[in-house]
Amino acid sequence: MALAFGDGVNDVSMIQMADVGIGISGQEERQAVMTSDFAMGQLRFLVPLMLVHGHWNYQRMGYMILYNFYRNAVFVFVLFWYALFTGFTLPTIIVGIPDKDLRRMTLLKHPQIYGA
């Protein structure tokens, strides 16, 4: 990932190409600020943004990835045990596909079925 920051017109293309673009509002035009993902008033705010908020974001993303991995593993584990206990005789997809309460032609001929 790339982070780019700039304060002038000559930095606009660099900010747009980066994954995260930061525009610093300075003495020049505000085009860098208008095209950036984040805007800040002074360059000194860049260090806390990268070191503090960047670390917190990195930690949150790591926890989210681990949470999703273990959550999906639990879902698969439950479905695996269900299949073992039922002897692989009743897969859910086979039950769900032919489950239709009315035929296609009935639904097309009688649209009032969809009313309240």
Side-chain angles (χ1 to χ4, degrees):
M1 296 192 68
L3 178 132
F5 64 93
D7 65 346
V9 177
N10 56 340
D11 301 323
V12 169
S13 61
M14 174 184 63
I15 290 172
Q16 288 176 339
M17 292 302 295
D19 295 316
V20 178
I22 299 173
I24 301 170
S25 60
Q27 301 296 331
E28 296 183 28
E29 303 88 25
R30 296 186 43 89
Q31 290 178 350
V33 173
M34 299 301 288
T35 60
S36 64
D37 299 317
F38 299 99
M40 57 183 56
Q42 297 176 357
L43 188 60
R44 66 183 174 102
F45 297 131
L46 184 62
V47 173
L49 176 71
M50 288 175 43
L51 297 182
V52 177
H53 297 287
H55 173 77
W56 288 343
N57 186 43
Y58 188 73
Q59 181 187 17
R60 289 181 193 128
M61 293 296 286
Y63 282 140
M64 184 191 69
I65 290 169
L66 285 176
Y67 169 76
N68 284 328
F69 174 75
Y70 288 118
R71 184 192 63 167
N72 291 336
V74 167
F75 286 157
V76 169
F77 184 71
V78 169
L79 289 173
F80 175 73
W81 278 106
Y82 172 75
L84 282 179
F85 284 124
T86 59
F88 299 98
T89 58
L90 194 62
T92 311
I93 195 159
I94 292 174
V95 174
I97 289 175
D99 185 25
K100 300 177 182 98
D101 60 343
L102 296 172
R103 293 192 344 245
R104 183 176 188 269
M105 292 308 295
T106 306
L107 293 171
L108 289 173
K109 287 181 182 177
H110 305 286
Q112 65 270 19
I113 292 173
Y114 295 104

